[in-house]
Every structure is written in structure tokens, then in C-alpha cells.
């Protein structure tokens, strides 16, 4: 597989304009990226721009803090799917995880997965704020809740993906969930290293630079 097949071409900037999202979609089509990753309000624009093509639309929910109510996250996820999103990237409730409210974290992920049915769910654990034990526990909870992916980062925290975190997540999730590395992946060599480590998806706003 080519690097393009792994890329979720991303623009989650609060300043992203309609023109920016349309440009993102055009680049995704040009380079053959797997998906675009956008904020919920941009899902209809992205869906229209990518109509009848192979590029998927992924939407973020509970983004970037993960601290919304479960009910709000479930509604947001369903709204994104109804508007044409193929995939959902959710942020876990980091405070709950750190409070050892494991049932609440698991139940929230499970509720979102059930709400979106057979659509892909990626669970962002925001590794930069977690201890090694918390990263491992977050992956286990995501697997128990039947998430499709565990994802390193929002790109809005104090740090992004690292090779060490991906190795840990791979060990914790085993073959029960795929891994998405996101945050700070800006060159081809880094992307290739993540692919060698076993990630199935890379979230980056630098997609065209990775291909050129």
C-alpha cells in the first residue's frame, strides 16, 4: 500500500473556511488519500465535494477536550453520520479516565459506537496527558467497547504522536483495534516509520508534503 492509502487529510483549525475545506477535499482526491477529517459543521461541505468518489469523510466529536456529556457526544456523532460522515473520531473523557471512572469511559465509547452502527469509530486517548498505565487502560477500554481504532492525539494537546506511544498502543490493543497516529506527522520518513510500526491510519494536515 502507498502512503496515501493511510492518510486522513485533516483540517480542524477553528479558522478553517468553506474554501479551506473544499481545498482539503480537492487535495484528497488529487493525491488519493483515504479520508478527510473535518469538524462536524463541515461534514455536508466535504460530503458534497467528495460525492461519488472513494475518499471517505471522518468527523471529530467531543473535540478537542472530550469533556462534554455523553448525551451531547452521542447526539453529535449521530448528527455527523446523518450529514454524511463515514467515520467518527471521538475524544475520550480524559478526566474520567484519570479519576479511574473506567465504567463511565467504556460506557460512553460503547454508546457512541452503538449510535453509529457499522460506521468506523476511532477513539482519541490524547496520550500527552496520560501515564503509561493510563494509555494502556484507555486502549483496553476502547477495545472492550468495540471501537474500531485507538488514536494517539487531537493535535491540540501539549504533544502529538510518538513511536513509543504507538508501540504501547499496539501491545495494549493487540489485533482487537487498529491504530491511528495523529499529531506532528509532517514528513515522509516519520509516516513510513509509523506504518512499519503497524498503524492503519495517519492523521495529518501535511498530506501533500508526505507524497511529494
Amino acid at each position: 500500500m502507498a502512503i496515501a492509502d493511510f492518510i486522513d487529510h485533516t483540517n480542524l483549525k477553528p479558522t478553517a473556511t468553506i474554501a479551506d475545506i473544499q481545498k482539503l477535499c480537492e487535495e484528497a482526491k488529487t493525491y488519493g488519500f483515504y479520508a478527510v477529517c473535518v469538524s462536524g459543521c463541515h461534514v455536508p461541505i466535504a460530503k458534497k465535494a467528495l460525492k461519488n468518489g472513494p475518499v471517505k469523510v471522518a468527523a471529530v466529536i467531543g473535540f478537542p477536550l472530550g469533556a462534554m456529556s455523553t448525551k451531547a457526544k452521542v447526539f453529535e456523532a449521530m448528527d455527523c453520520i446523518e450529514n454524511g460522515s463515514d467515520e467518527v473520531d471521538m475524544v475520550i473523557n480524559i478526566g474520567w479516565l484519570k479519576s479511574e471512572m473506567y465504567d463511565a469511559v467504556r460506557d460512553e465509547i460503547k454508546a457512541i459506537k452503538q449510535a453509529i452502527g457499522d460506521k468506523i469509530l476511532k477513539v482519541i486517548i490524547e496520550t500527552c496527558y496520560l501515564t503509561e498505565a493510563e494509555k494502556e487502560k484507555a486502549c483496553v477500554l476502547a477495545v472492550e467497547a468495540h471501537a474500531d481504532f485507538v488514536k494517539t492525539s487531537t493535535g491540540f494537546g501539549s504533544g502529538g504522536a510518538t513511536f513509543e506511544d504507538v508501540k504501547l498502543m499496539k501491545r495494549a490493543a493487540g489485533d482487537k483495534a487498529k491504530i491511528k497516529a495523529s499529531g506532528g506527522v509532517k514528513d515522509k520518513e516519520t509516516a513510513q516509520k509509523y506504518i512499519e510500526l503497524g498503524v492503519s491510519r495517519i492523521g495529518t494536515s501535511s498530506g501533500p508534503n508526505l507524497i511529494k
Side-chain angles (χ1 to χ4, degrees):
M1 288 171 74
I3 287 180
D5 297 324
F6 290 84
I7 290 178
D8 285 358
H9 192 31
T10 304
N11 188 339
L12 299 168
K13 292 176 182 172
T15 54
T17 63
I18 303 304
D20 292 333
I21 300 304
Q22 288 168 335
K23 179 173 180 262
L24 185 83
C25 294
E26 287 308 312
E27 288 174 343
K29 288 193 283 190
T30 300
Y31 293 101
F33 296 141
Y34 188 88
V36 296
C37 187
V38 297
S39 298
C41 68
H42 295 312
V43 169
I45 300 149
K47 195 68 183 174
K48 186 178 178 184
L50 297 167
K51 194 177 176 185
N52 301 326
V55 182
K56 307 283 187 196
V57 177
V60 292
I61 67 155
F63 196 87
L65 303 178
M68 303 73 180
S69 70
T70 295
K71 191 175 178 181
K73 286 183 183 174
V74 168
F75 178 87
E76 193 179 7
M78 290 170 65
D79 185 59
C80 287
I81 297 299
E82 283 166 15
N83 283 326
S85 186
D86 303 291
E87 304 185 348
V88 164
D89 291 32
M90 67 162 284
V91 186
I92 65 160
N93 191 311
I94 301 159
W96 284 357
L97 181 74
K98 287 190 160 291
S99 302
E100 299 184 9
M101 293 169 58
Y102 301 137
D103 288 347
V105 175
R106 184 195 301 109
D107 289 349
E108 179 172 273
I109 300 167
K110 191 182 288 182
I112 294 166
K113 180 58 185 170
Q114 286 174 344
I116 68 172
D118 59 357
K119 303 294 186 183
I120 296 293
L121 177 63
K122 310 189 201 93
V123 176
I124 307 169
I125 66 173
E126 199 69 300
T127 50
C128 61
Y129 296 135
L130 306 181
T131 65
E132 302 293 286
E134 286 167 346
K135 292 169 196 173
E136 196 169 317
K137 187 65 177 177
C139 291
V140 170
L141 294 171
V143 165
E144 288 173 352
H146 307 295
D148 302 284
F149 278 78
V150 280
K151 175 178 168 182
T152 58
S153 324
T154 60
F156 285 72
S158 57
T162 68
F163 299 138
E164 273 58 50
D165 282 342
V166 165
K167 287 175 191 171
L168 181 153
M169 291 164 72
K170 194 77 182 155
R171 286 196 303 271
D175 59 359
K176 305 269 176 56
K178 295 174 181 176
I179 311 293
K180 177 175 172 179
S182 188
V185 187
K186 297 192 182 301
D187 59 76
K188 191 174 187 176
E189 292 70 32
T190 305
Q192 283 177 323
K193 173 74 171 168
Y194 279 120
I195 292 166
E196 285 164 19
L197 289 174
V199 305
S200 298
R201 212 77 71 77
I202 294 169
T204 180
S205 56
S206 305
N209 293 336
L210 268 60
I211 302 299
K212 286 174 184 171

